[in-house]
Amino acid sequence: MEITGGVDTHGLTHHAAVIDSVGRHLADREFPATIRGYRDLLEWMRSHGTLTAVGVEGTGAYGAELARVLTAAGVTVIDVDRPDRKTRRMRGKSDPIDAYAAAMAVLSGRATGIPKSRDGVVEAVRVLRIARRSAVKARTQAMNQIRGLLVSAPAMLREQFASLDRAALIRTLVRLRPGEDLSRPLVATRSALRWLRSRLAAALVHEFRRQLVITPLRDVREF
């Protein structure tokens, strides 16, 4: 008997369901979101018949690893959109219902999306770029906060940094000695600038290291 599977994915568990070729509900079951759980899920589905395809919710998030495991096992995986809020309000939230709905979406042809493989060079570049974007954001945020502090800083401190570009500003902040009495606005401002400078330096180093890795990969044809 040909069967179609559906999976409602979550962070710690996945709920799977199988239907026959005319859409009749055969069985559903919950599995842990682990490598062993994924293998047990696949074995359980295949125990009900010839598995033609599996609809998986969230192949770009909680269902990413499950999709990889199923694809590696030769199973056709279809990306299924999660039910919208209106649908959830009408029928209520239920993992078995969502799993059966994912299977029905595949069987009826409503779901046809092929999930991204999320392996190889493309996936490596993607995750490195995520880290790089966060470093760039942290760098920009730290620099904006430094500039903001200097706007309202005591005059003697503000004038010290007034005409410096970013590179000179960072070098000067390295030599800045805050003092110990943090109850004084001048000392507190100097301390805050030093802290922000440390955060900025860490972001710059992180971005530079990621750039060293990402730049050679840009020439890879697959990317």
Side-chain angles (χ1 to χ4, degrees):
M1 179 174 60
E2 291 188 349
I3 61 170
T4 302
V7 184
D8 179 32
T9 60
H10 301 280
L12 299 178
T13 62
H14 295 340
H15 203 100
V18 288
I19 59 176
D20 63 16
S21 57
V22 295
R24 287 177 295 197
H25 295 190
L26 299 179
D28 67 90
R29 182 177 166 186
E30 187 176 78
F31 295 87
T34 62
I35 293 296
R36 177 61 183 272
Y38 303 146
R39 293 170 179 168
D40 289 345
L41 183 153
L42 176 58
E43 183 179 352
W44 174 80
M45 283 188 171
R46 283 177 166 169
S47 70
H48 292 83
T50 302
L51 188 60
T52 58
V54 178
V56 179
E57 290 186 358
T59 58
Y62 292 138
E65 184 62 20
L66 174 62
R68 281 192 285 262
V69 171
L70 295 176
T71 300
V75 177
T76 299
V77 178
I78 304 297
D79 183 39
V80 177
D81 292 334
R82 294 187 179 277
D84 57 30
R85 292 181 179 179
K86 180 179 178 181
T87 302
R88 287 183 182 274
R89 284 196 300 268
M90 291 174 60
R91 76 182 191 199
K93 176 69 179 79
S94 168
D95 293 344
I97 291 177
D98 287 347
Y100 279 119
M104 286 298 299
V106 174
L107 182 63
S108 65
R110 287 187 289 107
T112 58
I114 303 299
K116 295 180 180 180
S117 62
R118 295 190 177 276
D119 55 15
V121 175
V122 175
E123 180 66 5
V125 172
R126 186 187 73 83
V127 297
L128 288 172
R129 279 190 163 178
I130 290 175
R132 182 177 180 273
R133 281 197 298 269
S134 67
V136 171
K137 183 177 180 181
R139 179 196 67 188
T140 303
Q141 184 182 47
M143 181 54 69
N144 289 341
Q145 289 174 336
I146 289 173
R147 296 292 189 188
L149 278 177
L150 289 174
V151 168
S152 58
M156 63 177 296
L157 188 60
R158 186 173 66 252
E159 292 172 3
Q160 181 181 354
F161 297 97
S163 60
L164 301 181
D165 60 19
R166 190 181 74 171
L169 174 60
I170 294 174
R171 289 195 299 269
T172 305
L173 287 175
V174 172
R175 300 190 296 270
L176 191 64
R177 296 295 178 263
E180 297 181 358
D181 187 4
L182 292 178
S183 63
R184 297 173 55 200
L186 179 60
V187 175
T189 303
R190 285 174 174 170
S191 297
L193 289 171
R194 281 294 301 271
W195 294 335
L196 288 170
R197 182 264 164 194
S198 299
R199 186 187 304 171
L200 177 62
L204 288 170
V205 171
H206 186 76
E207 179 187 355
F208 176 71
R209 288 176 176 173
R210 291 297 177 269
Q211 190 65 29
L212 289 178
V213 176
I214 291 175
T215 300
L217 293 178
R218 285 178 175 169
D219 296 329
V220 177
R221 183 170 299 178
E222 182 182 2
F223 178 66

